[in-house]
Amino acid sequence: MAQIFLVTGGLGYIGFHNVVKLIKKRYTVIIIDNVNNSEKFILDRIETIDRIRLVFYEKDLCDCAAFQEIFTKHAIDLVIHFDAFKSVNESVKKPLKYFKNNLVFLINGLQAVQDNGIKNLIFSFSAKVYVQPKKLPAIQQTSFQKALLAYVGKNK
C-alpha cells in the first residue's frame, strides 16, 4: 500500500513541483490549500502531467477543526508543509498577519500530527521572512543574524 502524504500549500509553486515528484515516486498525495497565493487550475495541470486527479481540500490551516477533519478521513503517513506566507515586504508591513498564519498553522499542524500519531512532518518555509542569512544561498550550516522586523505599536 502506498504511503499517503498530506501536502499543505500543494497548489503553490514549490508545493506543485513537489507534488508532481511525489506522484512520480508513486506516493498517494492529498493537497490542502487555502488558495490565497495559488490557483485551483493547478489541479488540472497536475492531472494533465500525471493523469491522476488528487484529493483536494480548500481549507485554511488556521482552522484547527477543518484541519483535523482531514486526518479523520485519511490514514496520513507524512505531512509536508509548504503553506507559510513568505513575502518579505508584506511581512514587514503586516507582521501579525505573518505570525498568525505561520505560527498558528505550526501549532495546529503539530497538534494534528501528535493527535493522529503521525511521526513525520516536513516544515518548509522561507527563512528570509524571519532571519537574515549572513551569506546566500543559505544552507543548513549558514549562520544567521537578527531579522529586520517592523515593531507593532508605538516606540517608547
Side-chain angles (χ1 to χ4, degrees):
M1 187 168 155
Q3 285 187 300
I4 300 173
F5 289 7
L6 175 64
V7 179
T8 69
L11 300 184
Y13 181 79
I14 295 170
F16 162 75
H17 288 285
N18 280 274
V19 164
V20 169
K21 288 196 180 279
L22 290 169
I23 292 169
K24 288 190 185 311
K25 297 244 183 217
R26 303 210 187 284
Y27 293 109
T28 299
V29 178
I30 298 167
I31 295 175
I32 180 172
D33 200 305
N34 65 7
V35 196
N36 187 11
N37 290 317
S38 59
E39 300 287 340
K40 283 188 192 176
F41 73 83
I42 298 300
L43 282 171
D44 299 327
R45 289 206 178 147
I46 294 169
E47 186 173 11
T48 300
I49 293 167
D50 294 312
R51 296 183 179 88
I52 186 170
R53 189 65 173 190
L54 298 176
V55 175
F56 169 69
Y57 292 95
E58 185 175 345
K59 304 266 186 199
D60 187 333
L61 297 174
C62 291
D63 180 349
C64 193
F67 194 39
Q68 282 281 11
E69 177 186 336
I70 295 168
F71 290 92
T72 63
K73 293 181 178 180
H74 306 280
I76 295 165
D77 297 297
L78 174 90
V79 176
I80 304 175
H81 175 61
F82 295 116
D83 209 17
F85 291 160
K86 61 194 174 304
S87 168
V88 175
N89 289 335
E90 186 181 45
S91 73
V92 172
K93 293 174 187 168
K94 300 177 182 179
L96 290 180
K97 174 184 176 182
Y98 275 66
F99 286 126
K100 179 182 177 209
N101 182 78
N102 297 352
L103 295 177
V104 170
F105 163 75
L106 180 59
I107 292 165
N108 290 347
L110 291 175
Q111 187 69 55
V113 164
Q114 177 181 298
D115 290 350
N116 292 283
I118 296 167
K119 305 268 187 248
N120 301 297
L121 169 70
I122 298 171
F123 186 84
S124 174
F125 74 101
S126 175
K128 194 165 185 177
V129 174
Y130 300 105
V131 296
Q132 294 289 107
K134 290 188 177 177
K135 78 176 202 175
L136 291 174
I139 60 172
Q140 200 70 10
Q141 294 79 19
T142 302
S143 58
F144 294 92
Q145 55 196 10
K146 288 185 180 181
L148 304 171
L149 292 177
Y151 289 97
V152 178
K154 297 180 180 177
N155 290 334
K156 293 184 178 182

